[in-house]
Amino acid sequence: MHVMIVGTRGIPAKHGGFETFAEDLSLFLTARGHKVTVFCQVDSASAFAEDEWNGVHRVEIPSADHAVGTISYDWATTMHCSRNDGVVLTLGYNTGVFSLMYRLRQIPNVMNMDGIEWKREKWSLPQRCWLWFNELAGARFAHHLVADHPEISSHLQRHTSATKITVIPYGADAVVSAPVEALARFELTQKSYYLVIARPEPENSILEIVKACSSGRLSYPLVVLGDYLRGGSEYKRQVLDAAGPNVQFVGAIYDREIVRALRFYARAYIHGHRVGGTNPSLVESLAAGNAIIAHDNRFTRWVAGGGARFFARTEDLEETLYSLEQEPSQLFEMEGASRQRYREEFEREKVLAAYEELLVNTFRNHS
């Protein structure tokens, strides 16, 4: 089977959860004997190119790094795939209307619908309308949909039949060890800091988390991974201005070994996402056995499970962290609950095998 993976910036992963998933799935499918092509977005000054990376065929398409450039990149990948045989895996529905082309060319297309993107606060009204339209178009035109969370499946059923949707969450490898020396560059020691990994966007509750950890009541610092350089958006400036001396911004880190070590040795992982389905970063923290403190919503409650703690406001989070510092034995119970929740739903091999089965079945049914 030839699998064409579209919708990401490409591999090796250097941007986010979809890129990491595309890398993991492409290597898994290649090892299983399938031909895999991954489309990669490169700088507009670059030239169109094709190469091989660890047995995976890569197609590099130059485009500008803005909304119009991304749309043109998605259209170029759609046209390229339309001239090939195989099954397309589309990650995200931001240009879901383009999947009509696969229908017309009779090329099977599986679409991971990601979260409810049009509800994100960062988008203007015209952008939200565009995303809502493409959610509808992707749900109608794709041959089969993947929902990464039961609530996303329920949401999509307003657009299409439940029989067209398969729930497959994100997966991760269990983390049972990590290089402790990786902490030295940040002047950290084991179990001596809280960790948050998220883009600087309002719906990720970064401002609330930073404020809670800057109150002066807590004994342990907060380490924040992500691009929070001053001079960016107004929201970034608000986050930086709210940060007390015990908040450490370490930048965006794409070295998976370093990120793994920071997770594994964290005292607790704080997850503030309010919109979306199964968040890969939260799954990876479950796999690392982190004590989880997450924003209280229908998405994170299913993923994190009953052993986590939840917050709705800055004051809730501050009080939870303070309570855990007064009674640290609670952390051991939370860590055990995270490992159990990971084993129940999120083991990587189980997730990747489910994707392979779905892609094979879709290919056979629609070819």
Side-chain angles (χ1 to χ4, degrees), residues 21 55 119 177 204 222 249 278 311:
F21 171 70
K119 285 192 174 182
S177 65
N204 293 342
L222 173 70
F249 296 93
T278 297
F311 69 93

Side-chain angles (χ1 to χ4, degrees), residues 142-214:
H143 292 90
H144 201 88
L145 308 179
V146 174
D148 62 40
H149 191 291
E151 290 290 343
I152 297 297
S153 176
S154 297
H155 171 77
L156 293 173
Q157 287 173 40
R158 68 188 64 185
H159 300 315
T160 191
S161 166
T163 60
K164 187 179 171 179
I165 306 168
T166 299
V167 177
I168 310 177
Y170 293 106
D173 291 325
V175 181
V176 296
S177 65
V180 69
E181 57 271 16
L183 302 182
R185 64 181 284 189
F186 308 107
E187 300 182 352
L188 298 170
T189 57
Q190 302 175 45
K191 303 297 181 181
S192 68
Y193 58 95
Y194 304 113
L195 181 68
V196 59
I197 305 175
R199 292 188 179 95
E201 298 171 357
E203 62 265 19
N204 293 342
S205 308
I206 304 301
L207 183 59
E208 291 84 349
I209 293 170
V210 166
K211 284 181 176 180
C213 293
S214 301

Side-chain angles (χ1 to χ4, degrees), residues 11 27 89 180 212 223 291 325 353:
I11 60 173
L27 293 174
L89 174 61
V180 69
V223 175
E325 290 191 359

Side-chain angles (χ1 to χ4, degrees), residues 71-94:
I71 292 172
S72 67
Y73 163 69
D74 287 347
W75 177 247
T77 62
T78 301
M79 295 305 296
H80 195 288
C81 290
S82 297
R83 295 190 292 268
N84 290 272
D85 293 326
V87 57
V88 176
L89 174 61
T90 304
L91 300 179
Y93 64 77
N94 291 2

Side-chain angles (χ1 to χ4, degrees), residues 7 24 103 121 244 253 256 298 346:
D24 291 340
R103 281 276 181 179
E121 298 176 27
I253 300 173
R256 295 176 78 168
R298 59 195 171 122
F346 306 111

